[in-house]
Every structure is written in structure tokens, then in C-alpha cells.
């Protein structure tokens, strides 16, 4: 059985959560979490004590989400819920940046290979690999970049 976490809010925390849930513009997730914490509060200054099941139905969040919310509140505090830390940038390296787009556009606007009347997406992809601009690239990626930069092959 999972451990039970008890939400006990101070008077200041209750006031802050009431302010979040009733005024200002915040993300819907933060407002829902604030409402849920107010309902789940087992502190001395609340008259009604809601269960996770009742709160789940009232707020529209799953019981599992509410249990995770209670655990996060107990272990990390209120700030971790109402002021979540930014997730940061993707750890994936950017391969097709502005310099790549410029090289692709320059290649697409140049004369087509001998025996061809125009560039095709597949020809451009093969030429980019041949010129060692990229290690590998799919024709669909070339097509998306050309569409994004409004370059027409016609």
C-alpha cells in the first residue's frame, strides 16, 4: 500500500491558494492544483475535510494525480506546486539551424545538375550529403525546411 500524505496548510498558505484560485490569470493547471489543495487541507482552520475521491470528482483530476500532488506538497512545499521550475531546453542538439537553411536555399536556387531541368527534394537531399553539409538527411526534412523558408522548386 502506498504511503498516505496529509496536507496541512497554514493560514498564509490558505490565503495564497484562495488568491490563486479566485483572482489573476494563471495556467489552468496551477488553479486546479490550488483548488485541490484547499479541498484536501486537513488543517485546524478548515471545517470540511474532503477525501481524495470527493476532491477528484469536484476538481476533475484523477485520484492518482491528487496523491502525487499531496506527496509533492508534503515533500517539497507549496512553492514547488504554484511556482514550478522551468523545464529547460531540450538536450537534443540542433542540427538544422539557420546556417543549414541558408545553404539549402542557396543550393535549391542554384543550377540543377546536368541532365535535369530542376532540383527535386530527393536530389537536394543527396547533394547535401555529398557536399558533407550534413551526415544524413531525409527528403521529407528537406521538404519541410523548404516549405518553412518559402522556397519553391517549380
Amino acid at each position: 500500500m502506498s504511503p498516505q500524505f496529509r496536507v496541512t496548510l497554514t493560514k498564509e498558505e490558505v490565503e495564497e491558494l484562495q488568491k490563486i484560485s479566485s483572482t489573476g490569470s494563471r495556467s489552468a493547471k496551477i488553479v486546479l492544483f490550488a483548488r485541490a489543495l484547499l479541498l484536501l487541507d486537513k488543517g485546524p482552520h478548515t471545517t470540511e475535510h474532503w477525501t481524495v475521491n470527493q476532491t477528484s470528482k469536484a476538481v476533475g483530476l484523477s485520484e492518482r494525480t491528487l496523491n502525487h500532488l499531496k506527496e509533492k506538497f508534503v515533500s517539497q512545499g507549496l512553492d514547488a506546486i504554484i511556482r514550478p521550475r522551468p523545464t529547460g531546453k531540450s538536450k537534443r542538439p540542433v542540427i538544422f539551424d539557420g546556417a543549414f537553411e541558408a545553404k539549402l536555399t542557396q543550393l535549391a536556387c542554384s543550377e540543377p545538375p546536368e541532365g535535369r531541368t530542376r532540383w527535386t527534394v530527393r536530389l537536394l537531399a543527396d547533394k547535401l550529403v555529398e557536399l558533407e553539409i550534413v551526415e544524413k538527411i531525409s527528403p521529407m526534412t528537406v521538404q519541410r525546411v523548404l516549405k518553412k523558408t518559402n522556397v519553391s522548386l517549380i
Side-chain angles (χ1 to χ4, degrees), residues 27 29-30 72 79-87:
S27 73
K29 181 179 174 182
I30 302 297
K72 189 171 187 177
D79 277 350
I81 295 169
I82 61 173
R83 292 179 195 89
R85 59 185 172 87
T87 56

Side-chain angles (χ1 to χ4, degrees), residues 7-11 13-14 17 37-38 41 43-45 73 78:
V7 175
T8 307
L9 299 171
T10 65
K11 188 169 181 143
E13 289 172 334
V14 169
L17 289 173
L37 283 174
L38 286 170
D41 182 22
H45 36 270
F73 173 77
L78 183 61

Side-chain angles (χ1 to χ4, degrees), residues 95-96 100 125 128-137:
I95 299 170
F96 308 118
F100 167 78
L128 288 167
V129 173
E130 180 185 320
L131 295 173
E132 296 181 359
I133 295 173
V134 290
E135 188 176 311
K136 62 181 180 177
I137 189 167

Side-chain angles (χ1 to χ4, degrees), residues 13 16-17 23-25 31 33-34 52-54 59 79 137 148:
E13 289 172 334
E16 187 172 1
L17 289 173
T23 61
S25 63
V31 173
F33 286 173
V52 173
N53 189 8
Q54 291 171 323
V59 178
D79 277 350
I137 189 167
K148 183 176 131 185

